Amino acid sequence: MHFHKFEKIWLIFGTLSLAAFLTIVGVTAFAHGHTPAGGMDTIDPEKVAETPPFDKPGVRQLDDDTYEAVIISQAFGYLPGKIKVPAGKEIIFTLTSTDVVHSFTIDNTKVNMMAVPGRITHKSYTFEKPGTYLVLCNEYCGAGHHMMSTEIEVYE
Ligand code: CUA
């Protein structure tokens, strides 16, 4: 008798868990389709230079612990070139491309952003150690692809 009761409880519990799980999966999939993860936004690739924040590419401080690095990718380089950011602070990279797909890949970190024309990509990263970090383009973008790189100077 007791077992029967427990089985029933578990059956209900199991069903509810499954329903909850499917709801979460469904909602997540839906959310991904409609507001892409990573905070992607759209932009007219022809008007990047006039569209904030890309009208002023570079690093700016948002608050005591947060900086934003606005970067334009184009064949075959990044605008601005070398940037300087502080260690131990959150850096929000905001990226787009004016022409083809590039990447903004910071060597020895987990930052590997896609720069897609028509889209704005964001990625937050905190450099723990000061130093010079190499940035490379990992997406084949044309004849100058292998030369497409820059540096980030992370200061104390
Ligand atoms: Cu840009 Cu490869």
Side-chain angles (χ1 to χ4, degrees), residues 46-123:
E46 313 256 286
K47 293 184 179 144
V48 170
E50 299 108 270
T51 311
F54 297 101
D55 55 339
K56 292 185 183 107
V59 181
R60 64 196 177 103
Q61 188 165 7
L62 300 179
D63 62 41
D64 283 354
D65 299 308
T66 322
Y67 290 72
E68 183 182 29
V70 177
I71 291 150
I72 301 171
S73 309
Q74 54 192 25
F76 299 99
Y78 303 96
L79 258 182
K82 190 172 176 173
I83 58 167
K84 292 180 182 187
V85 296
K89 305 278 185 186
E90 181 186 13
I91 315 296
I92 299 165
F93 290 96
T94 299
L95 189 69
T96 193
S97 167
T98 58
D99 42 41
V100 295
V101 175
H102 301 276
S103 91
F104 186 83
T105 305
I106 309 174
D107 205 23
N108 291 321
T109 71
K110 287 176 181 166
V111 180
N112 184 15
M113 300 172 71
M114 292 274 279
V116 182
R119 282 193 185 162
I120 301 170
T121 324
H122 300 284
K123 171 86 183 170

Side-chain angles (χ1 to χ4, degrees), residues 109-144:
T109 71
K110 287 176 181 166
V111 180
N112 184 15
M113 300 172 71
M114 292 274 279
V116 182
R119 282 193 185 162
I120 301 170
T121 324
H122 300 284
K123 171 86 183 170
S124 165
Y125 190 73
T126 303
F127 294 91
E128 301 299 340
K129 289 182 190 160
T132 303
Y133 291 73
L134 183 64
V135 177
L136 294 165
C137 177
N138 264 348
E139 292 289 326
Y140 183 75
C141 53

